[in-house]
Every structure is written in structure tokens, then in C-alpha cells.
Amino acid sequence: MATKRELKKFIRNTCGALAAEILLARAAFPSIERKAVHEVLIDAAALQNASLTKVSVSFDKRPSDFATKAEYNKARHTYFAEAYNRLLDEFDAGVCAIVKKMNAALPEEVRSTFKEAVSE
């Protein structure tokens, strides 16, 4: 992502898509338990909230702490790159956990229907 704004949009859109997907699955297959749908929605909202709060990070060093401006810029770039990668790794793990819950919420007859459709 080029900017914080784009990263925040990505997080909101992904979490919104997860929530919409479980709601559509519930509408299509009423045999999915309401409790499972509710848990997935809560998890998606919590993931979005936690990820959005981690987007705004600040570099806690000052240029005067470094010998040259180049060292400061390198340290700052490294810090933000690591923070960004850590955020994306945590977000990805959260999305994978939600998708696993969504798959577990599907009843066995629905899963078998999907497997048959894929194998044909």
C-alpha cells in the first residue's frame, strides 16, 4: 500500500467482505447456526478495529540521534517496513482464522454439495 489511507481502506474492505460473505452464506443456507454467524461478525469487527489502530505508528527517534541524515533515513525506513510487514502478517493470520471459522460453520451437507460441484 502506498499510503495509510489505502491500507485502511484495504483493511475495512477485507473485513467488510468477510462479514458480507458469512451473511450471504446464512441467507443461502439457513441451516448455518446464528451463533456461528454472530461469532464470525464479532471476530471480523475486532480484527478490523485492532488492525486499524496499528496502522498509525511513529518512529520514536530524532535525526539528532544519528550521525548522518542517511543513517536516520535508513533506520526510519527499516522501522516502518518492519511495522508494516508485522501488521500485514497479523492481519493475514486473523483473516485465515476467520475463514476457518466460516468453513466450520457450514453444515456437512452444504460442504458435500460444494465438493460435488467442484469435482464435476
Side-chain angles (χ1 to χ4, degrees), residues 8-115:
K8 287 179 179 181
K9 284 182 183 179
F10 171 75
I11 290 169
R12 284 188 193 108
N13 290 340
T14 303
C15 291
L18 289 171
E21 194 68 33
I22 192 67
L23 290 173
L24 287 172
R26 171 75 170 125
F29 306 106
S31 57
I32 296 175
E33 293 182 22
R34 286 180 180 257
K35 184 177 180 182
V37 172
H38 183 70
E39 288 176 6
V40 169
L41 291 174
I42 295 295
D43 290 346
L47 176 65
Q48 177 177 326
N49 189 31
S51 298
L52 288 176
T53 58
K54 293 178 183 178
V55 169
S56 296
V57 294
S58 61
F59 188 56
D60 58 350
K61 308 282 187 200
R62 289 174 279 172
S64 60
D65 296 341
F66 296 91
T68 64
K69 179 80 170 167
E71 288 177 4
Y72 170 76
N73 288 339
K74 183 177 179 182
R76 187 172 183 265
H77 175 74
T78 303
Y79 176 82
F80 282 115
E82 288 175 2
Y84 176 75
N85 288 334
R86 189 172 42 249
L87 171 67
L88 287 181
D89 288 343
E90 291 172 6
F91 183 72
D92 185 45
V95 168
C96 288
I98 290 172
V99 169
K100 285 180 183 178
K101 278 188 173 183
M102 289 170 69
N103 287 336
L106 289 175
E108 187 57 41
E109 68 268 3
V110 174
R111 282 191 230 163
S112 63
T113 304
F114 287 155
K115 287 177 184 178

